[in-house]
Structure formats: C-alpha cells, structure tokens
Amino acid sequence: MTAEQPLQAERDAIVDALRPVVDGLAATFGPMCEVVLHDYRQPDRSVVAVAGSVTGRTVGGAMSEIGMRIVARGDDAGDELNYVTRTRNGRLVKASTMVLRDSTGTVFGALCVNLDVTAVNDAHALLGALAGVGTLKTSGATSADVPVTAFGNDIDSVVDAILDAHQLRQNGSWAGLDRAGRLELFRGLDERGVFAVRRAIEQVAARLGISRASAYSYLSQARAEAATATNGAATDTTPSGGHA
C-alpha cells in the first residue's frame, strides 16, 4: 500500500458522507436552492452529487470558474461565503463555496450552495419603488453590476466563457491588443484559475489564433511580471509620507 492510498480512501469517505447532506440542504431551502458537491481530483467532471437546479449542473459536469480559482490556489484556498453573482442568463445567485480538506490539510473538493434570489430581488425592487425608496443594492452595487460567473457542465465551455468575458472587457480582439494588453489578458485568465485546468493552454491558444508555444510564452511573462510586482511591493519599506 502506498502512502497516498489511505488519504485517497479518506477523501472518498468524506465525499460519500456529504452525499446525503446535498439532498438534505436542497430540501430544506426549497426549489430555489441548488447544492453541488465537487471532487477536484477529477476537474473535468468534478460534480459528483447535485440537488436542485439553479446553474443547470448535472453529475459528471465540470467545475465552474470558482472551482478553477480554488484549484489554482491549492491548499491556500479558503471558503468563499455569502457572495452574490449572476449566471450567464441573468439569474441573480447568492452562494457559498466551502472547500473540502483531508487530514493533511490538502484541498480536494468543495461543497457549494447556490440560492436563486432573482425573484427576491425583483420583489424588493418593486416594493422599494412603491415605497419610494429606490431599488435593491447588493454590496453597494445594483444587481446589473454583479459579476457573471461561468457555470457549465463542459470544462471547455467554462474556459470559453471566461475568455469571452476578458476580451469583452478589453474591447478588442487579440490582434488589436498591444503587448501590455496581451499580458494583462493572460494574467487575468491565470488569476481566475483557467490554466489550472488540463489542456486549457491549448484551448486558449486555439481561440486566440496563436501557437501553443506563444501562449506558454505570454503566460510565463505574465507570471514573471506579477511575481516582480509582488516582490517589489514586499521589499518597499519607504514610509507612506515620503522617503525615509
């Protein structure tokens, strides 16, 4: 028996223990609730249990961009609780993502609870308008300002959605970006965990119409610049009021 086998058995046991919890939580919160159990040991089909339907996930489906971000952070990843996001079809979702760890502290999965609060938001806006107190604010922003999260049962579709969102924000095609813009694109994709997914570099290269070698080069440069900026900030001891 290898040293890894007991840990794999432990992770399997944790996943199995949480399967009935998925159904129980969804039943408790009702039809506007979806609970998804992820096993990141198989990222292309990380969904191992699901109850309810808010994001349209099915067993055998892929992790979302939130899962990609957790995988990219590894054991430094933490729970993301009570955040608000939107699906691509405009549904407003309040969610929590709780990472799963084995006894060594290794992150290997997540339990996610998604509540569709679109109707609640609409009702709040209507009541606010009737009362003359304005529309619902979500953490200081209107619901239209809430970021969209890429959910999907196919990992390639999730990567495509993230890439599309970045290109839309940069208002241009790859050919129209200068070097700084291209590095910013790769840095943004890296920060969102895209390149933690197997074969993502090839998919991004194909979508951008560049070679895989060029994609690796841009990713390497983006990471190097990010590391330089981080190290520079850590070593800068100049007082905020001026030079020492």
Side-chain angles (χ1 to χ4, degrees):
M1 178 181 294
T2 66
E4 184 68 14
Q5 285 177 318
L7 285 176
Q8 293 293 1
E10 177 189 339
R11 295 164 190 160
D12 290 341
I14 293 172
V15 169
D16 288 341
L18 286 172
R19 290 180 189 274
V21 175
V22 170
D23 292 324
L25 286 174
T28 299
F29 288 105
M32 307 310 289
C33 176
E34 174 190 77
V35 183
V36 185
L37 180 61
H38 289 276
D39 185 342
Y40 294 147
R41 291 174 292 176
Q42 43 188 6
D44 291 355
R45 51 186 191 281
S46 70
V47 178
V48 295
V50 60
S53 182
V54 172
T55 64
R57 319 301 281 287
T58 59
V59 172
M63 60 184 170
S64 70
E65 63 179 283
I66 297 168
M68 292 181 185
R69 188 164 63 239
I70 290 173
V71 170
R73 291 174 179 170
D75 297 341
D76 291 331
D79 296 339
E80 298 189 24
L81 304 177
N82 206 35
Y83 57 90
V84 178
T85 187
R86 282 188 298 131
T87 64
R88 279 179 285 175
N89 64 2
R91 308 301 293 177
L92 195 65
V93 178
K94 187 171 79 164
S96 289
T97 300
M98 295 147 283
V99 299
L100 306 181
R101 300 177 187 272
D102 61 25
S103 57
T104 69
T106 299
V107 172
F108 69 92
L111 179 66
C112 305
V113 179
N114 302 314
L115 288 174
D116 186 343
V117 295
T118 307
V120 175
N121 183 43
D122 292 344
H124 192 291
L126 175 60
L127 291 172
L130 290 172
V133 295
T135 58
L136 171 64
K137 297 284 186 177
T138 304
S139 299
T142 64
S143 59
D145 297 323
V146 175
V148 174
T149 295
F151 297 101
N153 285 311
D154 174 6
I155 197 70
D156 291 346
S157 68
V158 175
V159 172
D160 279 343
I162 296 172
L163 183 55
D164 288 342
H166 271 271
Q167 287 188 297
L168 284 173
R169 280 202 297 272
Q170 293 188 331
N171 297 317
S173 65
W174 174 259
L177 296 177
D178 58 15
R179 178 180 179 276
R182 293 180 176 188
L183 291 181
E184 176 59 30
L185 173 61
F186 271 83
R187 184 160 45 250
L189 294 175
D190 198 27
E191 288 173 350
R192 295 178 79 168
V194 168
F195 298 114
V197 176
R198 186 164 50 91
R199 301 189 311 275
I201 195 77
E202 290 87 346
Q203 184 179 348
V204 170
R207 280 290 310 276
L208 297 177
I210 61 178
S211 68
R212 186 174 65 171
S214 294
Y216 273 116
S217 176
Y218 280 113
L219 177 58
S220 177
Q221 293 176 62
R223 286 176 171 174
E225 287 194 2
T228 299
T230 300
N231 292 337
T235 57
D236 184 5
T237 57
T238 303
S240 59
H243 294 290

